[in-house]
């Protein structure tokens, strides 16, 4: 059986679900960021799969994937800067400890 | 045929690496597993005949984002604490499993309009004319440049010593 669009879409869904579970269930903020990167990559796989199998000559899906990469890089830089700042002020990157707005 | 074998190997290794990121206690080992997962995604782009995106994936994710993540792990000294779960572990697993089931059902049940045209190769010329050419995404490219500049400045301002 040759690999078709459904194979790539199901793979993207599996990777997205793994990242979703990690982003919701993990306590370490850096690990949450890593899981968000997995989710963004899963979406990129789905977009490139659509671009390959539905519109193989226009490549619009790959353009969207490039923009997602731009946003992901900016998000990683700003997010990790925020995590480092929080660690400096509160000596912790556990998401359960960051409850300043709740106290 | 070769593409099929490559897809299955890359898919299995990628999913295993992603599971390792989620399940490992050691944060540094999880970051290394994430790098493996990002490399397999680059391989998947090659099987989808997206050569330029595979190169960008290696450069941006494997070269840039993973270094940032490892730097943040080093600076926050969280290796000895480990990556534990919070109290939402069971609800998060249920949400992820239900989401996965709904997505797989809808993806398999939808009749996609598969095109039989052979893909553009190499993709760089088509991508460049789409991004920079007339009627393309030139406004989005400019906004992306402004966004990256703002992100760099924001990161510098956030981590600067007072």
């Amino acid at each position: 059986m040759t690999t078709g669009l459904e194979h790539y879409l199901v793979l993207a869904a599996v990777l997205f679900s793994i990242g979703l579970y990690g982003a919701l269930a993990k306590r370490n903020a850096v690990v949450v960021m890593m899981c968000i990167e997995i989710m963004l990559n899963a979406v990129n796989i789905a977009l490139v799969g659509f671009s390959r199998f539905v519109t193989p000559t226009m490549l619009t899906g790959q353009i969207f994937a490039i923009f997602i990469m731009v946003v992901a890089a900016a998000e990683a830089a700003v997010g990790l800067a925020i995590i480092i700042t929080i660690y400096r002020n509160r000596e912790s990157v556990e998401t359960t400890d960051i409850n300043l707005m709740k106290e | 045929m070769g593409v099929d074998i490559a897809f299955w190997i890359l898919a299995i290794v990628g999913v295993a690496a992603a599971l390792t990121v989620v399940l490992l206690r050691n944060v540094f080992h999880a970051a290394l597993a994430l790098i493996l997962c990002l490399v397999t995604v680059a391989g998947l782009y090659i099987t989808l005949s997206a050569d330029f995106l595979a190169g960008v994936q290696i450069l941006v994710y494997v070269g840039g984002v993973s270094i940032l993540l490892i730097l943040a792990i080093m600076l926050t000294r969280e290796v000895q604490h480990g990556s534990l779960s919070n109290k939402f572990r069971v609800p998060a697993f249920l949400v992820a499993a239900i989401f996965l089931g709904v997505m797989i059902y809808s993806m398999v049940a939808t009749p996609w309009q598969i095109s039989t045209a052979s893909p553009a190769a190499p993709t760089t010329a088509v991508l460049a004319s789409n991004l920079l050419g007339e009627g393309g995404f030139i406004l989005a490219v400019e906004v992306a440049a402004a966004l990256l500049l703002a992100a760099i400045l924001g990161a510098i301002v956030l981590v600067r010593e007072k």
Side-chain angles (χ1 to χ4, degrees):
Chain A
M1 182 179 175
T2 57
T3 53
L5 177 59
E6 283 87 358
H7 291 82
Y8 286 94
L9 291 182
V10 169
L11 173 66
V14 169
L15 281 178
F16 191 92
S17 301
I18 293 171
L20 181 65
Y21 166 74
L24 289 177
K26 282 298 174 179
R27 212 189 274 177
N28 189 325
V30 180
V31 179
V32 172
M33 294 275 303
M34 291 175 4
C35 292
I36 291 172
E37 297 296 334
I38 293 178
M39 290 163 79
L40 289 165
N41 270 282
V43 174
N44 271 352
I45 291 175
L47 282 174
V48 180
F50 279 124
S51 157
R52 163 71 179 81
F53 288 104
V54 180
T55 59
T57 51
M58 287 171 60
L59 301 184
T60 321
Q62 296 193 19
I63 304 274
F64 289 168
I66 288 174
F67 284 121
I68 288 181
M69 280 180 184
V70 170
V71 175
E75 171 251 15
V78 176
L80 293 172
I82 290 173
I83 287 172
I84 289 171
T85 312
I86 289 172
Y87 181 77
R88 244 188 229 154
N89 291 329
R90 298 179 73 91
E91 294 290 315
S92 166
V93 294
E94 309 266 302
T95 50
T96 45
D97 292 346
I98 306 169
N99 52 4
L100 191 64
M101 306 270 275
K102 237 163 69 176
E103 283 165 356
Chain B
M1 191 61 204
V3 173
D4 299 342
I5 297 170
F7 169 79
W8 285 110
I9 292 172
L10 289 167
I12 291 167
V13 173
V15 170
L19 280 175
T20 314
V21 172
V22 175
L23 296 179
L24 271 191
R25 291 281 299 272
N26 188 322
V27 182
F28 190 74
H29 292 172
L32 295 182
L34 178 75
I35 295 174
L36 177 63
C37 182
L38 298 175
V39 171
T40 60
V41 172
L44 285 167
Y45 289 161
I46 293 176
T47 66
L48 286 165
S49 63
D51 46 2
F52 179 72
L53 266 184
V56 171
Q57 171 87 8
I58 296 284
L59 283 175
V60 172
Y61 277 105
V62 183
V65 172
S66 58
I67 298 299
L68 270 180
L69 283 166
I70 288 175
L71 193 70
I73 291 169
M74 300 284 187
L75 284 177
T76 53
R77 278 181 290 158
E78 281 300 304
V79 176
Q80 64 259 51
H81 280 121
S83 140
L84 303 168
S85 298
N86 59 19
K87 61 189 175 195
F88 297 119
R89 199 174 66 172
V90 175
F93 179 78
L94 285 178
V95 166
I98 292 169
F99 178 82
L100 180 63
V102 171
M103 288 301 280
I104 288 180
Y105 173 74
S106 58
M107 282 164 177
V108 173
T110 309
W112 303 106
Q113 292 184 331
I114 304 293
S115 166
T116 52
S118 62
T123 56
T124 34
V126 185
L127 283 177
S129 68
N130 263 337
L131 279 174
L132 307 169
E134 209 159 313
F137 295 86
I138 184 69
L139 178 65
V141 172
E142 296 296 334
V143 172
L147 173 76
L148 279 177
L149 181 65
I152 293 167
L153 291 178
I156 291 172
V157 168
L158 277 172
V159 298
R160 194 179 52 178
E161 296 282 349
K162 293 288 181 294

